Amino acid sequence: MARLNIDSSGVILLEIPDVKGDVHTYSVNPTPTDLDPKYWSVLVKRLDSEDEYLVAVGPTNRWTCGCKDFQFRAKGQPYQCKHIKDMKCIKAATDRLMPQREPAETQEIAS
């Protein structure tokens, strides 16, 4: 199971164990704003290497990851790499804390 740390400036660090049990720390960062807004996505960067992966889910609820594990194993089959598994938890938490709301109509407050 991954461990999530958030510092006072909002930086998210995620500790994810690999199949051998070695724990690697990743930063979780927003994606560039030019990506399709219909997708929820984050950049997950492993801190002890240059590895960085785009993890995303679209309107059809299909998750994708740029890691080699996902690219190799998914090939048309339902598969979730460790990055997707942990980002699903983060997305569920953010959805719960900040549910999508319809824009409120402007209301005048009586004085």
Side-chain angles (χ1 to χ4, degrees):
M1 176 172 276
R3 181 176 170 193
L4 178 72
N5 296 298
I6 305 173
D7 72 13
S8 60
S9 64
V11 173
I12 300 171
L13 296 178
L14 192 61
E15 296 173 348
I16 305 175
D18 63 18
V19 294
K20 298 176 189 170
D22 297 329
V23 177
H24 302 282
T25 303
Y26 296 80
S27 63
V28 180
N29 303 292
T31 53
T33 56
D34 60 342
L35 294 179
D36 189 333
K38 292 181 279 192
Y39 286 80
W40 182 93
S41 59
V42 292
L43 289 173
V44 179
K45 181 175 177 153
R46 187 166 150 176
L47 298 185
D48 63 351
S49 73
E50 295 297 315
D51 297 340
E52 184 173 62
Y53 313 115
L54 176 68
V55 179
V57 62
T60 61
N61 206 31
R62 182 173 182 270
W63 285 82
T64 61
C65 181
C67 75
K68 291 177 186 175
D69 184 42
F70 180 82
Q71 300 301 318
F72 177 74
R73 294 183 191 216
K75 301 222 185 238
Q77 299 181 41
Y79 175 75
Q80 294 180 6
C81 64
K82 62 187 177 185
H83 311 108
I84 289 174
K85 289 176 185 174
D86 292 323
M87 291 307 104
K88 284 178 100 170
C89 294
I90 289 177
K91 182 179 184 315
T94 58
D95 287 352
R96 186 168 183 245
L97 291 171
M98 301 177 67
Q100 296 290 348
R101 296 187 179 129
E102 295 297 321
E105 292 185 31
T106 306
Q107 297 177 358
E108 290 188 34
I109 299 174
S111 46

